[in-house]
Amino acid sequence: MNAVRFENQTLLYLDQRYLPAKEVWRECTTLHQGIQAIKELHVRGAPLIGIFACYTLCVALECFPGDKKGFFHQFDKAICSLKNSRPTAVNLAWALERVWRKARSFEQQPVSEIKHAMREESKQIHAEDALLCQKIARNGTSIVHKGACILTHCNTGFLATGGEGTALGIIYKAHRDRKKITVYVDETRPLLQGARLTAWELMKQKVPCMLITDNMAASIMRKRLIDMVIVGADRIARNGDTANKIGTYSLAVLARSHKIPFYVAAPFSTFDLSLKSGDDIPIEQRDPDEVRKAGGSIPLAPEDVPVYNPAFDITPGRLITAIITDKGVISPPYGRSIKKCLFSDV
Amino acid sequence: MNAVRFENQTLLYLDQRYLPAKEVWRECTTLHQGIQAIKELHVRGAPLIGIFACYTLCVALECFPGDKKGFFHQFDKAICSLKNSRPTAVNLAWALERVWRKARSFEQQPVSEIKHAMREESKQIHAEDALLCQKIARNGTSIVHKGACILTHCNTGFLATGGEGTALGIIYKAHRDRKKITVYVDETRPLLQGARLTAWELMKQKVPCMLITDNMAASIMRKRLIDMVIVGADRIARNGDTANKIGTYSLAVLARSHKIPFYVAAPFSTFDLSLKSGDDIPIEQRDPDEVRKAGGSIPLAPEDVPVYNPAFDITPGRLITAIITDKGVISPPYGRSIKKCLFSDV
């Protein structure tokens, strides 16, 4: 499974808006299309939008002629627009900056060479992300015991990364390791990434799962049906504060109240060490109609009712039992441990 | 506003499944129709289904001939079916038992007299419920300060009671008292009683409100946007444990974690003093398709995904700051205070 493909300089993506009803593949040929696909969540998931944005950049600049000054002008403009397409996940900026640096390192070469280097760097980021997922899954092995019942939120699998996922990567590995796990899936309102995407992925992979509405999590925790919560992340500040899909903070508070461990799984590229705390993470506010309507058209509420619709919330580091990364498991106090772990092999 | 009308021995109800898009009124003429209307939530809300069930009983038995033994046989069967139509809210059984006692007290009279007494008792229960709402609203006055931001869950207003509501009754009164309140409305998945019904009611009454998905509640509590939570109840055990719409327990835990007062508003008829604790309250499990599909047809999840769909959860009394009733405000410890308050004027 792979939700984004870049072959023969053609960028294809699985339009996730139509899942699970239909598997619709689309081609992205322009910057505008790529930005639209990110903004409207045709493609989503922090690591995957980073990868997709890099490929979009390649596709968008492919036809640009040999004038190098003009090329870099377009290049910078395109990167800026792509970075601004969604504000919260830091992987987007991280991946684009990596391609930017690569291109700049080739600036003495002809434009065709620069374009080639950009494509190779983008593919590299994609391939590396699949490896990061594997490492996260391996590092997460110790936290999942036999027979564990795991609650997860949103979608963090094949549809969100360049590999098999972050939180879901750990879950898939535990399933392959025959740990007889059960996964409770929060539906994740308003856009139902849990119900539409995670449940679909888990059923495809034959992992036993049970769908719940977000407001049932507390109740099943109280019934002792949940052994641990594992979620992904969109951006992690250097004190461990974590931005993730709206509803994550709620789960973290509920997990703490029920003495259930709460884990975040993310690659190093999700950390933003320039930020002291979660207060500095920008939170995207989205269209009220995402809450008011189902599938963009069926009314679920009065059409003019005021709506508060933040796409993410911040979970303070103090509520996070550990952060499972490709570089190891990071435990509190995060002020020290994050830096130490991320820079240990540099 | 009134969601159930009984005039000239005709029972009409507003079919709440179509709100807010359409106001569809239906007539109930048989026991079967009445039970279906309760089971499928055409009519819902703990106090209102009690009232509606009594009227259904009147309508169902209206055409029964004068044979008294046969009449009481049908009568007992009908009461039993109506009681079993939904298991959690105790008001249903309470109201039906009241009509049963009234009918039995007329058992020396002709069947036509018994029918008349049943109708009068049902209307009396309806009228009294409106008064109970007024008393709850009055008793709740002191908890709502000027400028309060109140979070509520599900629907507890005109569409759930014989009057202007329990939790919403308190809210309407605070609004009429010009306290400049703002109401945050949980959408209340899966059946969206908050988004479809509460938001609709509040907008009709011009009460400032803001719709959120259930998983946003924790986040807005952390931002200090919420001063208090007020919810209704379907059944309250004698230790204060409260069954209410799924998601209520979650709010109670979150409110406690954020040091926000959490109130339950309910009439005396919602208390079930035969139950020692919430563990004894039966919790209705509903059709998985309520979670899997929107409006019964649009797929939101894989069609065969396993679903856990309890309609209610139990909030332990220890998480409830106070219970606002028609007889006064009950504070912990509930073991004593509930009995004392409910029997104070008997």
Side-chain angles (χ1 to χ4, degrees):
Chain A
M1 267 215 284
N2 214 326
V4 167
R5 288 177 196 155
F6 185 66
E7 285 157 9
N8 306 318
Q9 302 179 35
T10 300
L11 174 54
L12 297 172
Y13 66 89
L14 179 57
D15 189 336
Q16 301 189 23
R17 293 173 301 169
Y18 300 103
L19 288 173
K22 281 185 284 189
E23 291 186 38
V24 177
W25 282 84
R26 289 184 190 280
E27 187 181 350
C28 171
T29 58
T30 66
L31 179 66
H32 176 74
Q33 280 176 0
I35 289 172
Q36 194 183 23
I38 295 171
K39 280 191 177 173
E40 296 176 3
L41 279 57
H42 312 188
V43 176
R44 29 69 51 206
L48 194 63
I49 59 175
I51 294 160
F52 180 76
C54 293
Y55 286 144
T56 296
L57 190 66
C58 296
V59 162
L61 293 174
E62 190 54 43
C63 299
F64 199 85
D67 160 29
K68 208 182 287 175
K69 200 179 152 195
F71 176 84
F72 272 112
H73 178 70
Q74 279 307 112
F75 180 80
D76 288 346
K77 262 180 62 179
I79 285 204
C80 184
S81 309
L82 281 163
K83 271 191 191 173
N84 290 332
S85 59
R86 292 196 75 191
T88 303
V90 75
N91 314 59
L92 177 62
W94 171 85
L96 288 166
E97 275 159 25
R98 213 172 118 173
V99 173
W100 183 86
R101 280 196 305 275
K102 177 60 79 177
R104 282 292 173 184
S105 75
F106 275 68
E107 65 188 342
Q108 303 308 325
Q109 311 291 323
V111 165
S112 63
E113 287 298 306
I114 301 171
K115 288 177 182 170
H116 179 76
M118 285 168 55
R119 288 195 296 272
E120 292 308 305
E121 188 69 2
S122 301
K123 286 181 199 166
Q124 183 69 19
I125 290 170
H126 193 167
E128 280 176 22
D129 195 64
L131 277 174
L132 294 177
C133 291
Q134 282 179 26
K135 287 181 184 172
I136 292 169
R138 211 178 306 134
N139 291 334
T141 301
S142 62
I143 65 163
V144 184
H145 58 80
K146 271 210 165 173
C149 288
I150 305 169
L151 175 62
T152 192
H153 191 66
C154 197
N155 174 267
T156 57
F158 292 99
L159 297 169
T161 64
E164 66 172 7
T166 53
L168 277 188
I170 295 171
I171 285 167
Y172 288 135
K173 183 165 189 315
H175 177 68
R176 278 197 306 274
D177 292 349
R178 300 187 183 179
K179 287 189 176 168
K180 296 189 184 298
I181 57 166
T182 302
V183 182
Y184 283 81
V185 180
D186 261 0
E187 65 173 6
T188 318
R189 281 282 292 155
L191 294 175
L192 298 162
Q193 292 92 337
R196 293 190 305 106
L197 310 178
T198 298
W200 180 76
E201 278 199 23
L202 289 170
M203 290 191 76
K204 273 209 162 192
Q205 304 294 320
K206 302 199 187 324
V207 181
C209 65
M210 179 78 88
L211 179 63
I212 60 167
T213 59
D214 301 310
N215 60 21
M216 290 172 192
S219 181
I220 61 172
M221 286 181 184
R222 184 161 181 249
K223 286 180 200 294
R224 302 180 182 277
L225 293 176
I226 300 299
D227 296 306
M228 68 192 68
V229 181
I230 317 181
V231 299
D234 286 80
R235 194 186 302 215
I236 305 173
R238 63 176 191 259
N239 69 343
D241 289 0
T242 295
N244 192 45
K245 182 54 56 203
I246 188 72
T248 301
Y249 169 62
S250 181
L251 290 181
V253 174
L254 295 170
R256 175 61 53 95
S257 295
H258 293 86
K259 300 186 171 55
I260 294 167
F262 179 90
Y263 299 104
V264 169
F268 77 93
S269 52
T270 299
F271 288 82
D272 183 350
L273 300 188
S274 75
L275 302 185
K276 203 175 147 188
S277 82
D279 297 341
D280 303 326
I281 301 176
I283 298 294
E284 179 184 6
Q285 294 288 332
R286 294 186 60 86
D287 188 340
D289 276 350
E290 288 182 353
V291 176
R292 291 186 196 126
K293 292 175 180 172
S297 60
I298 300 116
L300 305 177
E303 61 180 351
D304 45 354
V305 67
V307 171
Y308 178 64
N309 187 21
F312 304 94
D313 58 25
I314 305 291
T315 300
R318 67 181 160 76
L319 295 178
I320 300 168
T321 309
I323 306 174
I324 321 296
T325 77
D326 50 293
K327 293 182 188 281
V329 176
I330 312 184
S331 300
Y334 294 114
R336 281 182 174 190
S337 58
I338 286 176
K339 269 191 195 164
K340 199 176 153 191
C341 179
L342 294 188
F343 293 115
S344 63
D345 60 356
V346 186
Chain B
M1 267 217 283
N2 214 325
V4 167
R5 288 180 196 154
F6 186 66
E7 286 156 10
N8 305 320
Q9 302 181 36
T10 301
L11 174 54
L12 296 172
Y13 66 89
L14 179 57
D15 189 337
Q16 301 189 24
R17 294 173 301 168
Y18 300 103
L19 288 174
K22 279 185 286 189
E23 292 187 37
V24 178
W25 282 85
R26 288 183 190 280
E27 187 181 349
C28 171
T29 57
T30 66
L31 178 66
H32 177 74
Q33 280 176 359
I35 289 172
Q36 196 184 20
I38 294 170
K39 280 191 177 174
E40 296 176 4
L41 278 58
H42 311 191
V43 175
R44 27 70 52 206
L48 194 64
I49 59 176
I51 294 161
F52 180 76
C54 293
Y55 286 144
T56 296
L57 191 66
C58 295
V59 163
L61 293 174
E62 189 54 42
C63 300
F64 199 87
D67 159 29
K68 207 181 289 176
K69 198 178 153 196
F71 176 84
F72 272 111
H73 178 70
Q74 280 306 111
F75 180 80
D76 289 346
K77 262 180 63 179
I79 285 205
C80 185
S81 310
L82 281 163
K83 271 192 190 173
N84 289 332
S85 58
R86 293 197 74 192
T88 303
V90 75
N91 313 59
L92 177 61
W94 171 86
L96 287 166
E97 275 159 25
R98 212 173 120 173
V99 174
W100 182 87
R101 279 197 306 275
K102 176 62 75 174
R104 282 294 172 184
S105 76
F106 275 70
E107 66 189 341
Q108 303 308 325
Q109 311 291 323
V111 165
S112 63
E113 286 299 305
I114 300 171
K115 288 177 184 171
H116 179 75
M118 284 168 56
R119 287 196 298 271
E120 291 309 305
E121 186 71 0
S122 301
K123 287 181 199 167
Q124 181 71 18
I125 290 170
H126 193 167
E128 281 176 23
D129 194 62
L131 276 175
L132 294 177
C133 291
Q134 282 179 25
K135 287 181 184 173
I136 291 168
R138 209 177 307 136
N139 290 335
T141 301
S142 62
I143 66 163
V144 184
H145 58 80
K146 269 210 166 174
C149 287
I150 305 169
L151 175 62
T152 192
H153 191 66
C154 198
N155 174 268
T156 57
F158 291 99
L159 297 169
T161 64
E164 66 172 8
T166 53
L168 277 189
I170 294 172
I171 284 167
Y172 288 135
K173 181 166 190 316
H175 177 68
R176 276 197 307 273
D177 292 349
R178 301 189 182 176
K179 288 190 177 169
K180 295 188 183 299
I181 57 167
T182 301
V183 183
Y184 283 81
V185 180
D186 261 0
E187 64 173 8
T188 317
R189 281 283 291 154
L191 294 176
L192 298 162
Q193 292 92 338
R196 293 192 304 106
L197 310 178
T198 298
W200 180 78
E201 277 198 24
L202 289 171
M203 290 190 75
K204 274 209 162 192
Q205 304 294 321
K206 300 198 187 328
V207 182
C209 66
M210 179 79 85
L211 179 63
I212 60 167
T213 60
D214 301 310
N215 61 20
M216 291 172 193
S219 181
I220 61 172
M221 286 181 184
R222 185 161 180 249
K223 287 181 201 292
R224 302 181 181 279
L225 293 176
I226 300 299
D227 296 306
M228 68 192 67
V229 181
I230 317 181
V231 299
D234 286 81
R235 195 186 301 217
I236 304 173
R238 64 176 191 258
N239 68 344
D241 288 1
T242 294
N244 192 44
K245 183 53 57 200
I246 187 72
T248 302
Y249 170 60
S250 182
L251 290 181
V253 174
L254 295 171
R256 176 60 53 95
S257 296
H258 293 86
K259 300 187 171 51
I260 294 168
F262 179 90
Y263 299 104
V264 169
F268 77 93
S269 51
T270 300
F271 288 81
D272 182 350
L273 300 187
S274 75
L275 302 186
K276 201 175 149 190
S277 82
D279 298 341
D280 303 326
I281 301 176
I283 298 292
E284 179 183 6
Q285 294 288 333
R286 294 187 59 88
D287 188 339
D289 277 350
E290 288 183 350
V291 176
R292 293 185 194 126
K293 293 175 180 172
S297 60
I298 300 115
L300 305 176
E303 61 179 351
D304 45 354
V305 66
V307 171
Y308 178 65
N309 186 21
F312 304 93
D313 58 24
I314 305 291
T315 299
R318 66 179 161 78
L319 295 178
I320 300 168
T321 309
I323 306 174
I324 322 295
T325 76
D326 50 292
K327 293 182 189 278
V329 176
I330 312 183
S331 301
Y334 294 114
R336 280 183 176 188
S337 57
I338 286 176
K339 267 191 198 163
K340 198 176 152 193
C341 178
L342 295 188
F343 293 114
S344 62
D345 60 357
V346 185

